[in-house]
Amino acid sequence: MPEKENTNEKLLLQVQEDWADEAEQHPSCQHGPTVLFYRQSQRPEQGYYACSAYRDSKLSNFHMAADKWEHNRLKDVLVEINYPEASGHVLNPSDSDPTKSILALAQDKVNAQYFFDEAALDFLADQCRCLGITKVVFMGAPRLHFRLRANYKSFLLDLDERFARYLGPEEFCLYNMCNNHFFYKRKSFEKFLQCSAEDRLLIVTDPPFGCRTELIAHTLRALRWRHNRINQLAVTPLSIFWIFPYFSINHIRQEMPEMEMSDYRINYSNHSRYTNVGKESRFCGSPVRLFTNVPLKLLNLPQNEGYKYCPKCSHHTASDNLHCGQCQKCTSKNGQTYRHCNECDMCVKPSYVHCTTVAAAPNAKDTTAPSIKPSNSAGYVVSVDTLRRIAAYGSRNENDLGRAASCVVGRTIGSAGASIVGDTSRNINFWATH
């Protein structure tokens, strides 16, 4: 019998490269080359291939063991098809935006569509103007494409084939951003990538938030490689705007260390939570931010929306994001005003208190006991989930028990056996886990 997969281990992945030869190619599904997934303790050949676009195995029936592909490898040729004949009116730049009339796709684990609100559109358009951008490649973000196409040369790469009704091949290609797969012939896109010395090209991507950051980073690097090859350039960076939640900052920077997070909060017009209006909106605003490799000092955040210029950081920040003299930066990530914890030597959310005692009842039957990760000081930074698990299961690491000091949200964990000193708070997401 095959060894049971350890789902507690990190799931690694490999993406097929554009230049992959026949021996390196992955099997394909209806959305292009699949992604190879395998656990941290496994070798790649012990993993499996799955669809890159559908993030729910129940929605995609493609699943192939890696060793099966290796032993039964067939030449898997994906043919780029011609652009479909126009089935509607190809829009002029002055025509109305079709994203305001078509029905937005709504399946979150496939290709749900959420459109920027007017403030976000104005902000992003203003950054393009201030940066002197002349060309924009949009990976997703169709509403911004329709907003800017009158004033910029722009090209939309999107998995929604309905846009072929409104845009010609010189402006749109059906595309999977999770594996850099072009469904239509890419000749028009490669022509768009040809730039003069005066051109400044920007890539804007607004991927599904459930998408693995490794996939998007791989695609961004592939597009940069293609641009540099077409223009016969050495390794030359391209300006990138990546729209994603603030709590993914570590994942993004692990893949692309050059990316910095702007404080600007991106709101969506058709999302009940990621907005600043409505009863279901989050108490500290949308968690969606702009990540970019453009120096933050070049971005102009609007004062009338609650942003200010920090002379010590030399860039704009949120008005409630105060500069910490000890950390030497404006530290807030989630829209609240953080405070500095001397014991942890870092800024934390205002609801956190420094905890010096964690007691736990050991349980000899448990084999998956949690551990507490040390912070950058002598203390420990732990989450409520970790403490609950310690309380319920005990810890096999004696250093985890009795002397854990950390900044945690004030909360008591009932009869499970562990308690955290402090006031009760509804916020149980930890700075350390983001």
Side-chain angles (χ1 to χ4, degrees), residues 15-60:
V15 189
Q16 178 179 305
E17 300 290 354
D18 258 9
W19 52 85
D21 58 29
E22 185 176 339
E24 298 173 321
Q25 288 180 355
H26 295 190
S28 297
C29 68
Q30 61 177 322
H31 298 113
T34 55
V35 176
L36 174 60
F37 294 95
Y38 58 99
R39 294 291 172 182
Q40 200 162 16
S41 63
Q42 294 178 318
R43 298 186 302 275
E45 58 268 24
Q46 294 176 298
Y48 61 90
Y49 293 96
C51 178
S52 63
Y54 282 19
R55 297 176 298 284
D56 188 338
S57 58
K58 296 177 182 178
L59 301 174
S60 174

Side-chain angles (χ1 to χ4, degrees), residues 126-172:
D126 189 55
Q127 305 318 301
C128 291
R129 179 186 60 79
C130 293
L131 295 173
I133 300 300
T134 60
K135 285 186 170 184
V136 189
V137 173
F138 292 99
M139 288 167 47
R143 180 161 292 181
L144 185 59
H145 167 76
F146 286 106
R147 172 70 172 268
L148 297 184
R149 65 193 290 261
N151 299 315
Y152 298 88
K153 298 175 183 177
S154 61
F155 201 103
L156 176 62
L157 301 172
D158 202 281
L159 197 55
D160 187 350
E161 59 188 342
R162 294 179 297 176
F163 292 124
R165 305 175 192 171
Y166 308 102
L167 301 170
E170 70 286 345
E171 204 175 349
F172 172 71

Side-chain angles (χ1 to χ4, degrees), residues 58 99 211-212 216 337 384 414 422:
K58 296 177 182 178
T99 66
C211 184
R212 292 282 294 259
I216 302 303
T337 301
V384 162

Side-chain angles (χ1 to χ4, degrees), residues 115-131 133 136 138 141 143-145 147-148 152 202-206 240-243 262 264-268 288-292 299-300 302 305:
F115 301 125
F116 300 139
D117 71 1
E118 288 300 317
L121 293 172
D122 290 341
F123 167 75
L124 293 168
D126 189 55
Q127 305 318 301
C128 291
R129 179 186 60 79
C130 293
L131 295 173
I133 300 300
V136 189
F138 292 99
R143 180 161 292 181
L144 185 59
H145 167 76
R147 172 70 172 268
L148 297 184
Y152 298 88
L202 170 70
I203 299 178
V204 178
T205 183
D206 181 29
I240 296 171
F241 283 179
W242 182 344
I243 314 298
S262 166
Y264 190 81
R265 301 168 194 170
I266 303 289
N267 294 312
Y268 293 88
V288 185
R289 302 290 187 270
L290 167 65
F291 293 85
T292 183
L299 302 183
N300 183 26
E305 292 183 40

Side-chain angles (χ1 to χ4, degrees), residues 63-305:
H63 189 284
M64 178 184 290
D67 58 353
K68 182 179 178 182
W69 172 245
E70 293 299 327
H71 294 116
N72 300 279
R73 186 181 292 273
L74 300 173
K75 191 170 183 180
D76 200 2
V77 179
L78 286 170
V79 179
E80 293 177 343
I81 60 177
N82 290 320
Y83 203 84
E85 294 184 10
S87 57
H89 170 61
V90 176
L91 299 179
N92 294 316
S94 59
D95 289 339
S96 60
D97 177 359
T99 66
K100 296 182 178 180
S101 57
I102 64 174
L103 183 65
L105 301 176
Q107 202 162 9
D108 278 333
K109 293 184 178 180
V110 182
N111 53 359
Q113 292 173 319
Y114 297 105
F115 301 125
F116 300 139
D117 71 1
E118 288 300 317
L121 293 172
D122 290 341
F123 167 75
L124 293 168
D126 189 55
Q127 305 318 301
C128 291
R129 179 186 60 79
C130 293
L131 295 173
I133 300 300
T134 60
K135 285 186 170 184
V136 189
V137 173
F138 292 99
M139 288 167 47
R143 180 161 292 181
L144 185 59
H145 167 76
F146 286 106
R147 172 70 172 268
L148 297 184
R149 65 193 290 261
N151 299 315
Y152 298 88
K153 298 175 183 177
S154 61
F155 201 103
L156 176 62
L157 301 172
D158 202 281
L159 197 55
D160 187 350
E161 59 188 342
R162 294 179 297 176
F163 292 124
R165 305 175 192 171
Y166 308 102
L167 301 170
E170 70 286 345
E171 204 175 349
F172 172 71
C173 187
L174 189 64
Y175 178 77
N176 181 356
M177 71 172 73
C178 295
N179 62 1
N180 189 36
H181 176 64
F182 292 80
F183 293 87
Y184 305 152
K185 291 183 176 180
R186 66 182 79 182
K187 184 177 179 180
S188 294
F189 178 67
E190 292 185 338
K191 184 177 180 181
F192 179 86
L193 289 181
Q194 295 175 3
C195 296
S196 67
E198 292 75 30
D199 280 325
R200 299 192 66 176
L201 188 143
L202 170 70
I203 299 178
V204 178
T205 183
D206 181 29
F209 296 157
C211 184
R212 292 282 294 259
T213 52
E214 299 98 318
L215 298 178
I216 302 303
H218 173 270
T219 295
L220 291 170
R221 288 191 290 265
L223 292 180
R224 179 180 63 193
W225 173 84
R226 185 176 296 277
H227 167 270
N228 291 342
R229 181 180 62 83
I230 289 173
N231 292 284
Q232 299 182 340
L233 298 172
V235 180
T236 304
L238 290 176
S239 298
I240 296 171
F241 283 179
W242 182 344
I243 314 298
F244 224 57
Y246 75 84
F247 42 77
S248 296
I249 183 171
N250 290 340
H251 297 290
I252 290 177
R253 297 197 68 181
Q254 184 175 358
E255 293 297 318
M256 305 186 78
E258 69 274 19
M259 301 295 277
E260 297 286 347
M261 189 183 82
S262 166
D263 270 7
Y264 190 81
R265 301 168 194 170
I266 303 289
N267 294 312
Y268 293 88
S269 62
N270 60 329
H271 198 294
S272 61
R273 296 281 288 159
Y274 293 174
T275 181
N276 59 351
V277 296
K279 294 181 179 179
E280 295 184 37
S281 60
R282 294 162 62 101
F283 77 97
C284 53
S286 171
V288 185
R289 302 290 187 270
L290 167 65
F291 293 85
T292 183
N293 58 354
V294 174
L296 294 183
K297 64 182 180 181
L298 299 181
L299 302 183
N300 183 26
L301 278 58
Q303 291 186 5
N304 62 348
E305 292 183 40

